Amino acid sequence: MSLRVIIMGVAGCGKSSVGEGVSAVLGIPYLDGDDLHPAANVAKMRAGTPLTDADRWPWLDLVAQALADQAPVLIGCSALKRVYRDRIRAGAAGKVSFVYLDGSRDLIAGRMAQRRGHYMPLSLLDSQFAALEVPGPDEAFAVPIDQPLEAIVTAITGHLRGAQG
């Protein structure tokens, strides 16, 4: 079975750090979904303008295609709405496991304020939370992010190993 995993959540929740940590433990490549965004989306976000659904569809299709073509693979992708997650699942050519990095707005805003070199401004965090449809246990494995990175990675790797077995 080839793992296809989306590490999801709002901007600044730790998708890249967690994805890289899980990748190192499981020996599965990690791709940052931000790198799959069309240039126009990046420019829009850099300017502080939230993306629309129309902006996101081509990006979500690229995420799904990467899951289909590169499994086993982990991809960091916000996947904020159920319809986005459904779109990813539809194009992924196999089962997709979603891992939701769950954290409060205050915790994430604090982390974003300290982050350097990322195009997503803190000013877009509220639009991320407004768009977020928190996945239920039927859709994703939720991990609270108010704990050390190592504990988050351990919880996720244990879950993924159990789901494979």
Side-chain angles (χ1 to χ4, degrees):
M1 176 171 149
S2 286
L3 272 177
R4 292 170 184 85
V5 180
I6 295 289
I7 309 286
M8 64 162 288
V10 299
C13 69
K15 293 181 292 287
S16 297
S17 299
V18 170
E20 290 166 3
V22 173
S23 171
V25 172
L26 295 181
I28 296 171
Y30 171 75
L31 300 175
D32 193 324
D34 287 344
D35 296 336
L36 300 173
H37 267 296
N41 285 8
V42 173
K44 199 170 184 179
M45 289 183 281
R46 186 172 276 131
T49 305
L51 297 180
T52 64
D53 285 353
D55 295 324
R56 287 188 177 102
W57 298 132
W59 171 61
L60 294 166
D61 291 341
L62 290 172
V63 170
Q65 191 64 54
L67 288 169
D69 293 345
Q70 299 180 41
V73 66
L74 309 158
I75 300 179
C77 172
S78 55
L80 297 173
K81 296 181 181 181
R82 181 179 281 269
V83 68
Y84 300 166
R85 298 184 291 270
D86 289 345
R87 179 102 170 211
I88 291 168
R89 278 191 284 271
K95 181 183 182 297
V96 179
S97 297
F98 287 85
V99 174
Y100 171 53
L101 301 182
D102 187 8
S104 71
R105 188 211 178 278
D106 287 345
L107 174 66
I108 294 169
R111 290 179 180 181
M112 284 182 77
Q114 295 177 17
R115 157 170 106 163
R116 301 286 173 254
H118 196 280
Y119 59 78
M120 178 68 98
L122 179 57
S123 62
L124 289 182
L125 185 58
D126 288 334
S127 71
Q128 292 265 299
F129 272 102
L132 177 64
E133 295 172 2
V134 175
D138 63 317
E139 213 184 352
F141 176 66
V143 180
I145 62 168
D146 60 349
Q147 57 184 325
L149 178 60
E150 183 177 298
I152 296 168
V153 169
T154 298
I156 294 168
T157 55
H159 171 77
L160 293 174
R161 285 178 172 146
Q164 266 196 305

